[in-house]
Amino acid sequence: MNSDYLAYGGHPAAANLDLIGTRDYLRAGGFSDGELGRARAAVERFERRPHAFEPLNANYCDFCFIKLMGGEYDRLKDGRERCVRCSRTVLRSSDEFTELFESVWRNMESVFGITISVAMRVRMVNARQIARETGERFDATPGVDARVLGFAKQAKDGYSLYIENGSPRLAAMTTIAHELTHIWQYLNWNAGQIEQRYTPERRLLVYEGMATWAQVQYLLFIGEIEHAARQEAYALQRDDEYGAGFRVFAEQYPLKRDRDSEFDSPFRHRYPL
């Protein structure tokens, strides 16, 4: 029967197969070290080797953090540098953005076993409004300058999520995962209780630390392994609430790098730490 093919479950017919001899025969015929084998080995090597930014004389895309080689990148008006891949995948229409947003929303609910059932206004706005709302002051430097690409807002009239116009797809996806985590926090946490438990001074660390952890874990689960590694490395080197908070959450909830088993997450707890 087809279900007994090669009978690796112990069917008596398997005793007649010379598996080692067959392997040696195929290797002798040049069938070893194929493309799939090399790809699997490359993935294993990548997973064992954490990403690290070069400390000197290196330049990186300010959106996906990949190392820039030669002059093949775009320099934006504000000084940020964008690799060719990010320039190619810029979201150029509201339809593209809406499709991506809804995809990340569905995937977030599936990955973390949560529900974000609330109406929210979702808008693409220019960089000036993002800076005005977040209070961010941006100065371009030779290394990674990952300026904020969006923010979530809770107000009396409801919830809002804003993403910068012209964001590359991968950067927008990461930002949406981060900001949807904030929406979930607003829906499920009592802000007063959070401040009472962790102190007002550590409030931002708790909120941003979890959201940064969630964006990295989300990228791992959808198979964006390299981008997740760069995001993780960047978070680990930050000395603000995002970085310090990420380190705390990553210690409490080690990042799950495969999708084969259950895992714990801060979404499952009334108090995440």
Side-chain angles (χ1 to χ4, degrees):
M1 297 177 63
N2 290 337
S3 59
D4 290 330
Y5 179 68
L6 292 187
Y8 288 112
H11 192 278
N16 297 321
L17 297 175
D18 181 4
L19 298 179
I20 294 178
T22 303
R23 180 201 64 189
D24 293 341
Y25 172 79
L26 292 172
R27 283 180 174 175
F31 290 97
S32 62
D33 193 32
E35 290 183 2
L36 292 178
R38 291 197 299 273
R40 285 192 294 270
V43 169
E44 291 175 1
R45 287 196 301 272
F46 177 82
E47 291 178 345
R48 288 196 296 265
R49 185 184 71 252
H51 180 83
F53 293 102
E54 295 180 19
L56 298 172
N57 301 322
N59 208 9
Y60 295 89
C61 173
D62 292 321
F63 294 88
C64 73
F65 306 163
I66 195 170
K67 187 176 180 181
L68 298 174
M69 307 297 291
E72 294 189 0
Y73 58 87
D74 296 324
R75 186 184 297 276
L76 306 186
K77 290 180 180 179
D78 62 6
R80 284 179 298 169
E81 292 161 336
R82 190 172 64 194
C83 72
V84 174
R85 178 190 178 189
C86 282
S87 292
R88 265 200 325 264
T89 60
V90 161
L91 299 176
R92 303 187 184 280
S93 71
S94 58
D95 288 343
E96 288 181 330
F97 172 71
T98 299
E99 180 183 358
L100 179 64
F101 174 78
E102 292 178 349
S103 173
V104 176
W105 188 343
R106 290 193 302 270
N107 288 339
M108 284 281 290
E109 292 186 325
S110 175
V111 165
F112 296 114
I114 60 176
T115 300
I116 307 175
S117 55
V118 64
M120 68 182 87
R121 289 182 295 276
V122 182
R123 295 181 57 194
M124 296 184 75
V125 297
N126 61 43
R128 288 190 300 276
Q129 183 168 348
I130 296 286
R132 185 167 59 249
E133 293 282 351
T134 60
E136 184 183 45
R137 183 174 180 269
F138 177 77
D139 295 307
T141 68
V144 173
D145 299 313
R147 204 191 50 163
V148 173
L149 295 179
F151 64 93
K153 197 172 183 180
Q154 180 184 25
K156 291 181 180 180
D157 60 347
Y159 302 90
S160 304
L161 194 152
Y162 298 82
I163 302 292
E164 182 180 317
N165 268 322
S167 297
R169 183 178 181 84
L170 200 53
M173 180 190 304
T174 306
T175 300
I176 292 169
H178 185 107
E179 302 307 334
L180 280 175
T181 301
H182 286 322
I183 297 294
W184 181 92
Q185 292 168 340
Y186 299 154
L187 290 169
N188 290 275
W189 289 356
N190 180 295
Q193 292 177 356
I194 292 294
E195 289 194 358
Q196 183 178 15
R197 185 177 181 89
Y198 300 110
T199 75
E201 293 75 21
R202 292 173 62 83
R203 177 185 180 279
L204 190 60
L205 182 147
V206 175
Y207 277 82
E208 297 299 348
M210 177 176 168
T212 304
W213 176 92
Q215 76 186 42
V216 176
Q217 184 63 80
Y218 175 80
L219 290 168
L220 287 169
F221 264 81
I222 64 170
E224 291 289 351
I225 298 173
E226 293 187 11
H227 188 53
R230 294 192 294 271
Q231 287 283 333
E232 180 183 3
Y234 181 64
L236 288 172
Q237 75 176 21
R238 295 180 69 161
D239 58 5
D240 57 5
E241 290 87 357
Y242 294 75
F246 173 77
R247 290 188 286 274
V248 172
F249 275 90
E251 182 176 354
Q252 179 85 11
Y253 305 97
L255 292 167
K256 183 69 173 173
R257 301 180 190 277
D258 62 69
R259 291 171 284 184
D260 295 334
S261 59
E262 290 290 319
F263 74 108
D264 196 11
S265 88
F267 290 98
R268 298 186 175 188
H269 303 274
R270 179 182 179 187
Y271 295 111
L273 296 172

